[in-house]
Amino acid sequence: MASAEAHLEVEALPHISEGDMNEIRAALEKGDLTAAATKAHEILANEEKIQLHIAVTGESGSGKSSFVNAVRGLQDHEEGAAETGVTETTMECSPYPHPQDSHVTVWDLPGIGTPNFRPDTYLKEVQFDRYDFFIIISSSRFTCNAATLAKEIQAQGKRFYFVRSKVDQDVSNERRLYDEEGVLKAKGKQATETRPQQFDEMAVLASIRQDCERKLADLGIRSPQVFLVCRDDFSMMYNGPRLLKTFLDDLPSEKKLSFLRPLAITSKEVLRKKKEELMKYVLLKSLASCGASAVHTGAASADVDIAILVTSLKEYCRTFGLSEESLQKLAKQVNKPVKELKAVIKTPLDHEITKDVVIKLLTKSLGGAVQYTSLLMKVLPEEWQAIGCLVSAAIAFPTTFFLLRNFLSDAADDAERVLQKALEGTTQKSHLWS
């Protein structure tokens, strides 16, 4: 386990209503740890119910269904994938839960401009209020329908994002005009500003983006921002990583963790965000584990709810991709033996977390209980300082707090090593490993 003193900072808290925070504070000030723990458990249970609904729309045939699959980490042929085709295959609003977390649902909406869904009635037809934000996709230039829809979404107070799909095909088509050395080969063709003598992929992408943004500006969209993506390796290629980061930055605080849990770790930034959000819940989980449902572990009178700890450690492993399924998928993606990725992991994997493992970790942590008690006061937010008077009577709280905190940090470190190992020797490392 990492040192409890490493990187000690005052703990950030998740979004908690003023009323709930007042109840916890009042219970702590009265010395009623059970009541405070019960409230913490209730807050955590409500957090588990938070749903995130993402709407994907655009012109018919723009690759909406493939994007729905890509953002959920699925190939078009895999089980649970949205149906795709060269013609409009989405005739009604179709929900697709994320295979790693059913709290996140990506909706494949019918194409705008089709006979059954006109721009002037589209949002009503697709039940606008259901979605947290909209993704508007085009595989070429954005049309008047897309601009009209964007303006209406904005007018009703929700966010939208323009996504230009299939850019890998555009890059490939442009590359065919150049020879193996990347020199323009078409007879009678002169190099131009948009088509230089030497092939330049970044110039091709810039040209696509500028063309889209110019068209949207002409249609009345102020300062449009367009994200360029492709179906394969969506989360690693082109603007895929930046699009996912933008989603996260724009989400309200109470929905960030829902979005992050199933998100593939493709950069240090994603890893840092996951750790940051999970860490906000450590205090609540520690408090809840010391509630009325706690069981005696036989270890230095530490009464804790083992089930909460088992669930929490498993959550950390799954969120950081430390599960057999996630590692197998990553190994296949980077074409490396899964044993190479597992070799850098020090914490137990998801399926290895059991009640016995948690009790063993808890017993080991109790050895530093006195040290943890003093350290705890350094990281408690001001509104939680009242718990200080209870610590000596409930030694399980600081012990559990640092067990969760340290395991979370160790799991994050493992995830970083796995990502580094996965990207070794690949061309992706230069733009993802940041």
Side-chain angles (χ1 to χ4, degrees), residues 195-374:
R195 182 170 288 150
Q197 187 69 29
Q198 187 72 33
F199 179 74
D200 184 345
E201 181 175 310
M202 296 305 295
V204 175
L205 297 174
S207 178
I208 295 171
R209 180 184 295 106
Q210 290 165 9
D211 181 62
C212 289
E213 292 176 347
R214 182 166 51 249
K215 178 63 175 176
L216 287 168
D218 290 343
L219 292 170
I221 303 297
R222 297 179 58 185
S223 303
Q225 184 178 24
V226 176
F227 296 88
L228 310 182
V229 305
C230 64
R231 177 183 59 189
D232 297 329
D233 292 330
F234 159 75
S235 62
M236 290 186 169
M237 294 291 288
Y238 304 115
N239 295 151
R242 186 164 64 88
L243 178 61
L244 294 174
K245 181 181 183 300
T246 303
F247 292 162
L248 179 62
D249 290 343
D250 290 345
L251 281 171
S253 59
E254 65 271 18
K255 295 204 172 188
K256 290 184 185 296
L257 186 56
S258 294
F259 180 75
L260 278 167
R261 279 198 189 100
L263 190 62
I265 298 176
T266 54
S267 69
K268 275 189 175 181
E269 176 68 11
V270 172
L271 178 58
R272 183 185 67 79
K273 290 283 189 181
K274 286 195 175 205
K275 180 180 178 181
E276 182 181 282
E277 287 301 315
L278 286 170
M279 197 67 79
K280 292 179 181 180
Y281 290 87
V282 169
L283 273 173
L284 282 173
K285 288 178 179 289
S286 303
L287 183 55
S289 74
C290 299
S293 60
V295 294
H296 186 63
T297 67
S301 299
D303 293 320
V304 299
D305 189 332
I306 296 295
I308 289 179
L309 300 184
V310 170
T311 300
S312 298
L313 299 194
K314 281 180 172 289
E315 176 193 8
Y316 298 161
C317 288
R318 288 193 300 270
T319 303
F320 287 121
L322 302 178
S323 67
E324 190 68 37
E325 180 182 0
S326 295
L327 290 169
Q328 290 285 357
K329 189 168 186 176
L330 178 59
K332 183 178 180 180
Q333 185 178 8
V334 298
N335 195 30
K336 289 186 178 181
V338 69
K339 65 180 182 181
E340 284 192 21
L341 305 183
K342 288 183 177 181
V344 300
I345 298 174
K346 299 179 181 180
T347 53
L349 296 181
D350 168 43
H351 70 278
E352 297 172 333
I353 302 295
T354 64
K355 177 180 177 179
D356 289 341
V357 168
V358 170
I359 290 177
K360 182 178 179 180
L361 291 173
L362 190 64
T363 302
K364 182 179 179 180
S365 296
L366 279 168
V370 175
Q371 175 196 19
Y372 289 164
T373 300
S374 61

Side-chain angles (χ1 to χ4, degrees), residues 70-183:
V71 82
R72 295 185 304 133
L74 294 175
Q75 296 293 319
D76 289 343
H77 65 274
E78 291 186 297
E79 183 179 355
E83 184 181 356
T84 60
V86 295
T87 59
E88 178 63 33
T89 55
T90 307
M91 304 311 295
E92 58 184 22
C93 301
S94 303
Y96 292 93
H98 198 292
Q100 304 299 323
D101 192 331
S102 61
H103 293 84
V104 178
T105 302
V106 184
W107 291 77
D108 193 358
L109 306 188
I112 56 176
T114 56
N116 293 332
F117 289 85
R118 310 290 298 183
D120 55 341
T121 61
Y122 187 81
L123 293 181
K124 180 179 180 181
E125 295 285 349
V126 301
Q127 300 181 46
F128 172 83
D129 291 337
R130 178 163 53 193
Y131 312 108
D132 290 281
F133 59 85
F134 287 74
I135 298 164
I136 304 174
I137 293 184
S138 174
S139 58
S140 55
R141 290 184 175 182
F142 289 92
T143 65
C144 182
N145 285 337
T148 300
L149 181 62
K151 291 175 186 177
E152 188 59 30
I153 293 171
Q154 189 172 45
Q156 296 192 37
K158 291 195 177 181
R159 291 185 180 275
F160 63 87
Y161 305 89
F162 288 115
V163 170
R164 171 61 159 79
S165 62
K166 306 180 183 180
V167 294
D168 54 333
Q169 296 178 21
D170 294 297
V171 171
S172 178
N173 290 337
E174 186 69 16
R175 184 65 179 84
R176 291 192 183 99
L177 300 177
Y178 294 79
D179 60 22
E180 292 182 359
E181 284 72 38
V183 178

Side-chain angles (χ1 to χ4, degrees), residues 27-28 30-33 386-395:
L28 293 176
K30 291 178 182 178
D32 191 346
L33 186 59
I387 202 171
C389 62
L390 304 180
V391 167
S392 59
I395 201 66

